[in-house]
Amino acid sequence: MPLHRLLRLSPTAVLGLWHRTETAAALGALLPAGAPYAALLPPTAGSERQGQWLAGRVLAHAAAAALWPGAPGLLVRNDAATGRPYLEGPGVPASAVVSLSHSGEWAAALLATGGQVGVDVELVRDKARRISTKFLAADELAAAQRVGTDAYFTLLWSAKETLYKLAERRGLIFKEQLLLEPFTPASAGEIPMVLRLAEGQSRHRICYSQPAAGYVLTHCWEPGAPTATP
């Protein structure tokens, strides 16, 4: 069972990582609510996409068991309008929040009782570099080009994805509203960021690490809503 890690960020928040080696059928057998999930599985997804989708839900159940041992009826659903995952079922706190991500062989999940969560795992590729002008502001792009590696561009994309999930706002413009502040890249650390909304801006710190060679992981859990400033 390749549950790679469950990291308790606090008494009310757990970050999980799953290294996927199983087939989609094997992952489906690990879910306690197999029949409901079979109906929720994206019908047009191929075997690889199905495996990623199922791994995220198996991981969410493992993290939930650590947070809420009395919630055997947990079900992970997706909001029809936004696609964001949410939790329901007996024993699940009304304030429960969840963020899921998958890429390549890895799945990540961040669950908490209250607050805001965001998580993203990415396979390092040249894609983030190729689309960098679409998601990086001019000063961010200049700084990224000085570093120049695919891993760095992928990290910046992942950090913005995590903040986007944390914000829970549709239609945000990555290069204008999800802004990076200067930081010194390392194998693990924090990236300071600013979220700009119509009602003001707020500051956030996105944690990052390398779960395996060729991958980056970013996450953020905030127990209370940040105060926006004009």
Side-chain angles (χ1 to χ4, degrees):
M1 180 178 178
L3 174 60
H4 179 72
R5 188 181 187 188
L6 282 179
L7 175 63
R8 190 171 281 273
L9 304 179
S10 81
T12 59
V14 168
L15 171 67
L17 282 171
W18 186 280
H19 184 206
R20 182 176 58 88
T21 59
E22 307 91 339
T23 63
L27 286 164
L30 294 175
L31 287 167
Y37 281 115
L40 295 173
L41 190 66
T44 60
S47 58
E48 175 74 6
R49 176 70 178 87
Q50 287 184 2
Q52 293 175 332
W53 189 93
L54 289 164
R57 279 131 189 93
V58 172
L59 178 57
H61 277 265
L67 275 179
W68 314 299
L74 171 75
L75 188 64
V76 183
R77 291 188 176 273
N78 290 86
D79 183 86
T82 66
R84 290 195 301 266
Y86 66 94
L87 306 174
E88 66 177 22
V92 178
S95 60
V97 289
V98 58
S99 182
L100 302 176
S101 181
H102 52 73
S103 183
E105 297 178 347
W106 288 86
L110 180 49
L111 280 69
T113 305
Q116 296 171 289
V117 294
V119 69
D120 187 68
V121 63
E122 295 285 346
L123 174 65
V124 174
R125 298 173 292 173
D126 66 349
K127 180 180 178 180
R129 182 205 297 269
R130 288 188 284 105
I131 66 170
S132 57
T133 57
K134 297 182 182 297
F135 73 90
L136 292 177
D139 59 331
E140 297 170 344
L141 180 60
Q145 288 172 335
R146 287 194 290 271
V147 178
T149 64
D150 289 340
Y152 188 70
F153 279 93
T154 303
L155 172 61
L156 301 186
W157 167 257
S158 183
K160 292 204 174 193
E161 274 286 305
T162 284
L163 185 55
Y164 179 79
K165 293 178 180 181
L166 188 87
E168 294 188 333
R169 298 284 187 98
R170 298 194 74 181
L172 294 179
I173 302 173
F174 278 39
K175 64 191 299 181
E176 297 178 8
Q177 295 177 271
L178 309 171
L179 301 178
L180 302 155
E181 295 196 319
F183 73 102
T184 301
S187 58
E190 292 184 350
I191 301 175
M193 295 190 66
V194 172
L195 171 64
R196 286 184 177 170
L197 301 174
E199 61 267 30
Q201 66 180 29
S202 53
R203 295 192 175 286
H204 307 266
R205 301 193 73 83
I206 308 300
C207 299
Y208 69 92
S209 59
Q210 299 173 353
Y215 288 83
V216 297
L217 171 73
T218 60
H219 74 273
C220 186
W221 170 65
E222 295 178 347
T227 300
T229 58

